[in-house]
């Protein structure tokens, strides 16, 4: 099943609840929430307080993508705030196995994200703890960038590795530069969750934009 996860990074932060309600009405089931600390990436966005404020306004699964240093310090805060799924960066911790277990112990599903140039080697040692693997298809930090085409074969490589490790159920999430014109080829190589920021909330009508992406991804309306 292909899922499109709208990213609030490109939403109007003065109207977050309203914007989220729109994509929920359009048929989205996952909301991607980009957390940036100004250290791991050059940008700063939001923390657990915003997640907690949004929680009562939405039935969407909250997918917290932590682009922060020392993520182990904040797992419980995001879990308590209402995150359903927490993704941490491979590059941001020395102890990814312990961190994945910490996320699960906090009651969330766990994901690990890889920057575009980070190799997948070593993933086999932690894959049994994971529910998702996120591949960045732009350099993290900003919305509205162009998809890095060199990541496409990496998606296929990851799918083959997951299957070989007996983890057909471990989902591949791809994040960055996804739009109606390229979503089909990203799905084609094995992505199952497609994050979309500028191509949903950056558009005048996010409901229509979400539907167009669904159609382009699966050849059907949401
Ligand atoms: C970038 C973030 C992405 C971002 C994607 O660092 O992780 O989730 O919102 O935005 P678009 O879809 O605009 O590239
Ligand atoms: Zn993201």
């Amino acid at each position: 099943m292909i899922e499109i996860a709208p990213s609030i990074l490109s939403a109007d932060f003065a109207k977050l609840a309203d914007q989220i309600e729109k994509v929920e009405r359009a048929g989205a089931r996952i909301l991607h929430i980009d957390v940036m600390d100004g250290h791991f990436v050059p940008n700063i966005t939001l923390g657990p307080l915003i997640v907690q404020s949004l929680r009562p306004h939405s039935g969407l699964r909250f997918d917290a993508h932590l682009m922060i240093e020392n993520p182990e310090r904040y797992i419980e805060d995001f879990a308590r705030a209402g995150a359903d799924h927490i993704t941490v960066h491979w590059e941001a911790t020395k102890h990814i196995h312990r961190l994945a277990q910490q996320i699960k112990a906090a009651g969330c599903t766990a994901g690990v994200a890889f920057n575009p140039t980070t190799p997948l080697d070593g993933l086999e040692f932690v894959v049994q703890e994971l529910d998702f693997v996120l591949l960045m298809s732009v350099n993290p930090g900003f919305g509205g960038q162009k998809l890095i085409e060199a990541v496409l074969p990496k998606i296929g490589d990851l799918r083959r590795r997951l299957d070989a490790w007996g983890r057909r159920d471990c989902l591949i999430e791809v994040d960055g530069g996804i739009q109606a014109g390229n979503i089909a080829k990203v799905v084609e190589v094995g992505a199952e969750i497609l994050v979309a920021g500028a191509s949903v909330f950056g558009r005048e009508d996010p409901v229509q934009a979400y539907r167009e992406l669904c159609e382009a991804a699966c050849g059907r309306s949401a």
Side-chain angles (χ1 to χ4, degrees), residues 24-212:
E24 193 162 358
R25 196 154 30 90
R29 302 197 310 167
I30 304 175
L31 185 75
H32 188 80
I33 302 176
D34 288 307
V35 179
M36 305 186 188
D37 66 349
H39 294 278
F40 183 73
V41 289
N43 204 356
I44 300 177
T45 55
L46 54 87
L49 203 59
I50 306 272
V51 176
Q52 188 185 329
S53 304
L54 292 174
R55 189 64 284 179
H57 294 276
S58 175
L60 293 170
R61 283 185 65 75
F62 281 3
D63 170 26
H65 175 197
L66 305 190
M67 287 162 277
I68 62 175
E69 301 284 3
N70 302 309
E72 47 285 325
R73 286 190 197 160
Y74 300 100
I75 301 304
E76 289 74 19
D77 289 348
F78 279 100
R80 269 194 300 270
D84 297 288
H85 175 70
I86 297 180
T87 296
V88 292
H89 266 261
W90 183 266
E91 305 85 1
T93 180
K94 295 189 182 82
H95 303 292
I96 193 70
H97 191 278
R98 182 185 294 151
L99 190 47
Q101 289 184 327
Q102 185 184 347
I103 295 169
K104 305 286 270 284
C108 299
T109 48
V112 166
F114 290 81
N115 281 338
T117 59
T118 303
L120 299 172
D121 301 325
L123 180 59
E124 63 267 40
F125 303 115
V126 70
V127 72
Q128 300 306 336
E129 304 296 328
L130 302 175
D131 301 285
F132 298 71
V133 176
L134 184 156
L135 295 184
M136 289 303 307
S137 42
V138 296
N139 293 301
F142 301 95
Q145 302 181 77
K146 190 173 178 305
L147 179 132
I148 299 169
E149 296 274 334
V151 173
L152 292 174
K154 190 180 185 186
I155 300 168
D157 180 25
L158 175 58
R159 182 73 273 158
R160 286 187 290 277
R161 291 186 195 218
L162 290 171
D163 290 355
W165 298 327
R167 290 304 314 274
R168 182 67 198 86
D169 59 317
C170 184
L171 299 172
I172 299 180
E173 182 170 9
V174 175
D175 184 6
I178 305 284
Q179 43 169 277
N182 61 24
I183 195 166
K185 67 181 170 191
V186 181
V187 169
E188 176 83 9
V189 289
E192 290 149 311
I193 300 174
L194 294 305
V195 176
S199 59
V200 174
F201 290 117
R203 297 270 304 277
E204 203 173 319
D205 182 352
V207 172
Q208 177 62 19
Y210 175 86
R211 292 197 174 129
E212 278 172 28

